Amino acid sequence: MPIAITRKVSPALAHCELTHLARTPIDVELAAAQHEEYERTLARLGCWVVSLPAEADLPDSVFIEDTAVVVEEVAVITRPGARSRRPETAPVAAVLAKYRPVVSIEAPGTLDGGDVLRLGRRVLVGLSERSNREGIDQLSRLLSHHGYKVEAVPLGGCLHLKSAATQVTPDTVLVNPAWVDPATFSGFTRIDVYAGEPYAANALMVGDRVVYPDAFPHTAARLDRAAVPIVAVDVSELAKAEGAVTCCSLILTG
Ligand code: GLY
């Protein structure tokens, strides 16, 4: 059974980091309700959900994906690029230690888990405002022991690599080609987001299903036509905090 580690919405969510979005009012109660439904969705898809308590002083802590990169063999605790987010990692490391050997990215490296897209033994990492060369080099050293090949991927216009591309079937990626070079995904079938839905490339594959925001109907129609099985969720309030469906969990498999 996959394990999904999540963390409840912080009451301070409205004070989150924002890089590419303007600040708009966030209904934190609604965000928490949407997040609970997201957790229930993961449970319905067969995950054992380990839900960590909210962190009152860490606005972005619901976006737990950024704190670690977990593969079958090891958990790499990140050093988030945003200074305000660095205290998020310690409680996650303590939980992950129950499931995996734990290693860490060290200063001056920075790495956000949202920049890390694993495609089999290939691990693509966005060279972003959050993840630097040193962080990517450290990840490469830590994962190469286990047979993974880490590749840095230039990005533009978005926060994380997984804002621009995610995997939706074993051989298909969903891509916003305006933000990442689609040639990166040669060998994969590519579905491009509808141009009017630039934030639509973030999907969360859980087994053979894909958790997907209900905010992108045109791109969802493309996924339907490609027979990608979507489970829709409403994450509108989390999206205002520059979060999406992959950010809200760490999925442990194997
Ligand atoms: N608000 C999500 C982030 O900037 O990390």
Side-chain angles (χ1 to χ4, degrees), residues 16-19 60 63 66 85 112 130 159-160 241-243:
C16 63
E17 296 282 342
L18 289 175
T19 308
D60 283 295
F63 303 128
D66 291 317
R85 301 200 56 188
D112 277 15
R130 298 289 176 83
L159 182 60
H160 290 132
E242 218 167 347

Side-chain angles (χ1 to χ4, degrees), residues 94-206:
V95 173
L96 284 172
K98 296 180 191 161
Y99 303 103
R100 297 284 192 275
V102 169
V103 293
S104 299
I105 300 296
E106 307 293 346
T110 64
L111 188 77
D112 277 15
D115 273 318
V116 181
L117 174 60
R118 177 185 170 190
L119 298 172
R121 305 310 280 189
R122 264 179 99 192
V123 178
L124 307 181
V125 189
L127 191 51
S128 70
E129 291 169 48
R130 298 289 176 83
S131 300
N132 66 16
R133 281 262 176 217
E134 173 61 27
I136 297 172
D137 288 348
Q138 288 184 31
L139 184 70
S140 179
R141 286 194 289 276
L142 292 167
L143 293 187
S144 65
H145 296 309
H146 302 288
Y148 294 90
K149 185 170 183 304
V150 172
E151 301 165 38
V153 177
L155 274 189
C158 60
L159 182 60
H160 290 132
L161 177 58
K162 276 187 278 197
S163 320
T166 52
Q167 187 175 23
V168 291
T169 78
D171 56 7
T172 311
V173 288
L174 176 64
V175 178
N176 179 342
W179 288 347
V180 65
D181 181 356
T184 308
F185 308 102
S186 62
F188 282 80
T189 302
R190 204 178 90 217
I191 300 172
D192 287 351
V193 301
Y194 173 72
E197 295 175 344
Y199 288 92
N202 188 268
L204 175 64
M205 193 168 71
V206 180

Side-chain angles (χ1 to χ4, degrees), residues 2 41-42 45-47 204-211 249 251:
T41 301
L42 294 179
L45 293 180
C47 295
L204 175 64
M205 193 168 71
V206 180
D208 58 3
R209 310 288 287 280
V210 172
V211 179
S249 56
I251 307 284

